[in-house]
Every structure is written in structure tokens, then in C-alpha cells.
């Protein structure tokens, strides 16, 4: 699987989370943590992360837009963070990261999403019991629990 992920990383310039992704870095998060706490933690990460520039926020829509600059070549990438309540009143965080001009990202967008989610988990003190497996959240929605 690692070779498959590495190969596909060089052929795209946009990556987003998906509850059914084979790559664990791209599963997004479903938290049993209040929306406001997750929202504020996302904003804290965005505003304190080097080379991340906050462009726009909308807490009603649950949208945070960011411009990132890569360390070595200074490429610009856009990141969109969505923080929403799902059907079960759990807080869902999904991200999309896209290179603005580059045709290939060499895995930068996937690594960025993965690192953001790991840091968000740490900042929230989230773990077993507060991070819900996305497949379990879907089962809850469908009433299959």
C-alpha cells in the first residue's frame, strides 16, 4: 500500500479527507467533543503554525481558509478546514489541501493534512473515547450500531 500511496502522490496536486480512505492520514476526524472547543483549537493551530496565513473564517458555515507556504521552494497551497456537526451531534473535521500552481505535490498535501490532524488531536487531548471511527459514525447515522 505504501508504494501505491507514494505513486499516487506524484500525480495529483489536491488531497482531501474521506471517511473511507485507505490512507489513515486522510480519514478526517469525528470527535465526541463540543463544536466550539474543536473550532477554537483549529483556529489556534492555524494562527500559530509557521508559514500558515489565515485568509477567512466563518463559524456559521464551519469554514476556515488558509494559505500555506512550503518551506523549501516557497510554493503556495490553499487549505480548507471544515468543522461541522454531523447527524449525531458529533463534531466532524475535514480538510482539503491543494497546490495553487504546481501540477504535482510529491505528497505534501497528504502530509500536511495528517500533521494537522495529529496536532489537533494532541491540542484537544483527544483519543480513545473522544475520536470516533468514521465508519462507526456512519453506522450510528444508519442505525446499525
Amino acid at each position: 500500500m505504501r508504494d501505491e500511496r507514494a505513486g499516487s502522490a506524484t500525480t495529483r496536486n489536491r488531497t482531501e479527507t474521506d471517511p473511507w480512505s485507505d490512507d489513515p492520514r486522510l480519514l478526517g476526524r469525528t470527535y465526541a467533543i463540543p463544536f466550539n472547543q474543536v473550532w477554537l483549537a483549529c483556529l489556534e493551530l492555524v494562527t500559530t503554525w509557521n508559514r500558515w496565513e489565515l485568509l477567512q473564517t466563518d463559524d456559521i458555515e464551519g469554514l476556515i481558509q488558509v494559505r500555506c507556504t512550503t518551506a523549501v521552494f516557497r510554493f503556495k497551497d490553499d487549505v480548507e478546514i471544515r468543522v461541522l456537526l454531523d447527524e449525531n451531534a458529533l463534531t466532524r473535521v475535514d480538510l482539503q489541501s491543494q497546490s495553487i500552481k504546481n501540477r504535482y505535490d510529491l505528497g505534501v498535501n497528504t502530509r500536511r493534512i495528517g500533521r494537522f490532524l495529529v496536532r489537533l488531536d494532541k491540542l484537544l487531548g483527544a483519543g480513545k473515547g473522544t475520536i470516533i471511527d468514521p465508519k462507526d459514525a456512519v453506522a450510528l447515522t444508519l442505525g446499525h450500531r
Side-chain angles (χ1 to χ4, degrees), residues 34-138:
F35 171 89
N36 196 51
Q37 187 177 347
V38 175
W39 175 261
L40 293 174
C42 287
L43 286 176
E44 182 177 336
L45 282 177
V46 165
T47 57
T48 58
W49 207 321
N50 287 335
R51 297 181 309 279
W52 282 46
E53 174 191 359
L54 181 63
L55 299 177
Q56 179 180 345
T57 66
D58 184 337
D59 61 343
I60 302 299
E61 293 292 321
L63 177 67
I64 300 170
Q65 293 179 320
V66 181
R67 171 111 350 118
C68 301
T69 305
T70 62
V72 178
F73 296 109
R74 300 297 203 216
F75 294 136
K76 303 287 184 183
D77 300 335
D78 283 340
V79 175
E80 181 177 288
I81 304 164
R82 290 245 176 226
V83 183
L84 302 167
L85 290 177
D86 71 7
E87 302 82 16
N88 301 303
L90 297 171
T91 307
R92 178 74 192 167
V93 177
D94 284 298
L95 291 93
Q96 172 184 304
S97 183
Q98 180 169 339
S99 303
I100 295 174
K101 292 184 179 180
N102 301 326
R103 192 168 171 192
Y104 307 108
D105 75 351
L106 302 175
V108 169
N109 290 310
T110 298
R111 287 191 301 276
R112 177 182 294 123
I113 289 172
R115 288 178 185 143
F116 182 88
L117 292 171
V118 166
R119 289 181 182 184
L120 182 59
D121 291 346
K122 186 176 179 179
L123 184 59
L124 290 168
K128 189 172 181 157
T130 55
I131 300 175
I132 310 301
D133 183 296
K135 291 164 187 79
D136 289 344
V138 170

